[in-house]
Amino acid sequence: MNRNPTEAPIKTGYLSQEETDPAFTGMPVFDVRTDLAVEEAEQQKEEGISSFPGVSVNEYTEENSAVHITRVIVENEQGSQLLRKPIGTYVTLESVRMSQNDGDYHREVSRVLAAQLTLLMAPFLPEQKPPSILAVGLGNADVTPDALGPRVLSHLLITRHLQTGEYKLPAFPTGSASLCGIVPGVMAQTGMETAEIVKALASQIHPDLILVIDALAARSVSRLGTTIQLSDTGIHPGSGVGNHRHSMTKESLRVPVIAIGVPTVVGAAAIVTDTLDALIDVLRRETDTGHFADTLFHMSSDEKYALIRELLEPRFGPMFVTPKDIDETVARLSFTISEGINMALFKEQGIG
């Protein structure tokens, strides 16, 4: 947010100017954390930006499954700065029915996921030989909202050990992808950056592609457990919740990286911001509160979020919220994603 130097910043007395003013921090005040490129695009529209130089957005609904697909392509540095996302392709699959315990429907979601994953992987896989894939399940298996990666790995069809050495099985299709996987844990458990572990492993097994699965953070509550994002730009673990770790990208690992994630948490400040907007609409209809509501209504998104942050964080810290049925959601979607991966890698053999 750009302020006039003569204007007094909006203050409630809880955070110092150094903590909230971009002139001191060098960062924009309004920074509702999200890992989803589609939400960044929506945020720009809410701020009145109708065109996206350097960004292309294509939306459509898959006919058979009713899954809404949004393909966001960040084409250059200008687009990257606008969306605050690296250059690359981001594919979002959305459906409220993902939150339902419907096995047949989730099978359809897996099919759509497999098709989109195949398109993303195609430029990176060899044409003359079966691909070698390293799957990485990020997160803490003991913390349910962060357990998506380890849960997906537990359902994957691991085949590398069946195709090499003394354990090779003649009956196993020789043209199948060679898939191996690891759940590297978190730094508190291992004392090592996950990126360090994956880089060391990749240098030994030389995969054609690294497939990373992780839980994400969203801006909107409605996307928790109803959205799957795929991207070919790698991943920055913990960035959505402000816990920045070393990135896992093609540049850092020297192997192409495709990321798959599901938002399982949303920032409390983002929820309060949406609630405040709804409250303003109600107050503006009332004569006694209309003037106060108009004052809030004309505040920018930056100013409203700064106000909420000043009120919340000194008392409660940066909080993130997850649904009460997150254990069922993670269990259900981890199986859906693993089936989609199995279909994409082994479809020629009818596996998955």
Side-chain angles (χ1 to χ4, degrees), residues 50-108:
S50 57
S51 62
F52 300 92
V55 178
S56 66
V57 181
N58 180 33
E59 300 182 58
Y60 64 96
T61 299
E62 213 273 341
E63 184 175 352
N64 294 328
S65 64
V67 173
H68 188 73
I69 301 174
T70 305
R71 179 177 289 265
V72 178
I73 302 177
V74 180
E75 300 169 342
N76 52 39
E77 286 297 332
Q78 185 179 11
S80 178
Q81 292 179 8
L82 180 67
L83 289 195
R84 296 179 290 184
K85 296 291 181 186
I87 296 173
T89 301
Y90 303 82
V91 181
T92 305
L93 314 181
E94 300 178 73
S95 173
V96 293
R97 291 182 62 185
M98 286 191 201
S99 62
Q100 301 173 5
N101 188 19
D102 183 342
D104 291 337
Y105 183 73
H106 278 266
R107 180 76 174 185
E108 282 297 308

Side-chain angles (χ1 to χ4, degrees), residues 153-167:
L153 262 289
S154 68
H155 298 307
L156 289 182
L157 180 60
I158 301 300
T159 61
R160 184 172 183 267
H161 64 297
L162 302 178
Q163 297 166 288
T164 59
E166 61 182 307
Y167 300 107

Side-chain angles (χ1 to χ4, degrees), residues 130-133 157-180 345-346 349 351:
S132 172
I133 311 292
L157 180 60
I158 301 300
T159 61
R160 184 172 183 267
H161 64 297
L162 302 178
Q163 297 166 288
T164 59
E166 61 182 307
Y167 300 107
K168 185 174 181 180
L169 300 181
F172 199 86
T174 56
S176 298
S178 174
L179 178 62
C180 58
L345 295 182
F346 307 108
Q349 285 75 38
I351 301 172

Side-chain angles (χ1 to χ4, degrees), residues 55 125 214 352:
V55 178
L125 299 183
D214 195 13

